[in-house]
Amino acid sequence: MIQKTEQLYEGKAKKVFATTDPDLVIVSYKDDATAFNGAKKGTIVGKGVVNNRMSNYLMEKLTKEAGVPTHYVEELSERETLVKRVKIVPLEVIVRNIAAGSLAKRLGLAEGTPLKRTVLEYCYKCDALDDPMVNEYHILAMEYCTKEELDTIASLAQKINDYLKAYFASINVELVDFKLEFGKTKDGKIVLADEISPDTCRFWDATTHEKLDKDRFRRDMGGVEDAYKEMMKRVLG
Ligand code: TMP
Ligand code: ASP
């Protein structure tokens, strides 16, 4: 029996605990919500449960149906999951299908403008610098990961997008954009880590274009909990 031991880390939305197995850790999802690098704070009641269950469900499907390796091992409870211990590659990998958020702003596009091809962006994970955008040259010059690891990350991100876009379309959701994080296992393998949830994706109802994700919190739109519940219902039934 694997037992939870000491807390290793507390992030904005999750805590991470060591276990009696040195290769496994437990993540525990909180209801705390932040935006704009912690400048905006709040609570989204039930968010931890939705994000934990949705992320686990999607990661399991990605492995079984698309051959994507992930950190996921076993769901322990509504809020807690056993995952492989990895060293997180310090990059936020953003995948975009439709212009929204910071891309719409930066390029002066109306939100909702379809992109002619998938856009991949990288941000260096560093709260003190506000996660600055970086390109492949910066990543290799700063040795955030190797060229080979970056190629793996980019091809996994495309594969994940192809799979998830089709999956969300089947539940009448447009996958506008999302953020991924990857980790390196002790044998040096790159795996999908962190989470896939309404915190880290933009989900729009495909018919009404209603926002069903954390933008409702970021933009003070109301109906935040209902949006998370609706996504949970569509994904997990
Ligand atoms: P952006 O348009 O604000 O750059 O966000 C792109 C996607 O990344 C969007 O789906 C929300 C997600 N995201 C995170 O998961 N964490 C973050 O800190 C930010 C800024 C965005
Ligand atoms: N990463 C942002 C924060 O740290 C949250 C977000 O906008 O998704 O507050």
Side-chain angles (χ1 to χ4, degrees):
M1 239 312 254
I2 290 156
Q3 303 283 345
K4 185 155 121 185
T5 58
E6 82 276 11
Q7 182 174 310
L8 296 173
Y9 173 78
E10 179 162 7
K12 289 185 282 242
K14 298 189 279 297
K15 293 179 185 175
V16 181
F17 296 89
T19 71
T20 45
D21 182 331
D23 298 331
L24 299 173
V25 296
I26 292 171
V27 293
S28 178
Y29 285 73
K30 306 189 285 184
D31 284 352
D32 299 355
T34 65
F36 316 117
N37 196 15
K40 181 182 171 76
K41 290 191 172 70
T43 301
I44 301 174
V45 177
K47 171 171 89 80
V49 174
V50 172
N51 289 8
N52 181 46
R53 295 193 53 208
M54 188 186 295
S55 190
N56 292 341
Y57 177 82
L58 294 173
M59 287 202 192
E60 233 184 330
K61 271 174 92 71
L62 277 164
T63 300
K64 288 193 181 140
E65 295 171 27
V68 173
T70 77
H71 71 164
Y72 175 72
V73 176
E74 187 190 353
E75 189 167 286
L76 301 175
S77 70
E78 276 194 323
R79 286 179 188 271
E80 293 198 328
T81 295
L82 189 65
V83 302
K84 288 178 192 143
R85 186 174 199 145
V86 296
K87 189 161 185 280
I88 291 288
V89 176
L91 294 174
E92 300 211 335
V93 179
I94 294 166
V95 185
R96 300 182 186 271
N97 297 306
I98 297 171
S102 69
L103 178 75
K105 198 168 167 191
R106 185 153 24 90
L107 300 187
L109 301 170
E111 275 209 317
T113 307
L115 298 168
K116 304 265 189 228
R117 52 173 291 178
T118 303
V119 171
L120 266 195
E121 292 170 1
Y122 303 104
C123 295
Y124 170 46
K125 256 176 83 69
C126 175
D127 282 345
L129 297 174
D130 232 343
D131 299 344
M133 190 186 282
V134 289
N135 64 28
E136 183 161 344
Y137 291 92
H138 302 114
I139 293 167
L140 301 183
M142 299 305 297
E143 299 185 314
Y144 296 145
C145 64
T146 66
K147 172 81 169 79
E148 195 191 355
E149 287 163 355
L150 191 59
D151 289 347
T152 302
I153 286 170
S155 89
L156 286 174
Q158 294 281 2
K159 199 187 243 193
I160 292 164
N161 186 46
D162 290 343
Y163 180 82
L164 289 183
K165 229 177 15 177
Y167 166 71
F168 281 109
S170 78
I171 54 170
N172 206 44
V173 170
E174 278 180 323
L175 181 60
V176 175
D177 57 31
F178 55 101
K179 186 264 297 180
L180 300 171
E181 293 183 29
F182 293 85
K184 209 167 145 173
T185 63
K186 74 161 186 209
D187 354 286
K189 188 176 170 191
I190 293 287
V191 300
L192 178 64
D194 194 53
E195 66 182 89
I196 306 173
S197 72
D199 271 22
T200 62
C201 303
R202 285 196 173 94
F203 296 132
W204 293 355
D205 180 275
T207 310
T208 64
H209 304 291
E210 187 190 2
K211 296 188 197 311
L212 297 171
D213 57 62
K214 194 178 168 190
D215 269 350
R216 302 197 75 88
F217 169 80
R218 295 188 188 98
R219 303 179 186 191
D220 295 318
M221 297 171 74
V224 184
E225 277 91 357
D226 285 347
Y228 278 71
K229 269 190 229 146
E230 176 62 25
M231 281 307 303
M232 169 104 139
K233 194 172 92 189
R234 290 197 200 184
V235 172
L236 293 152

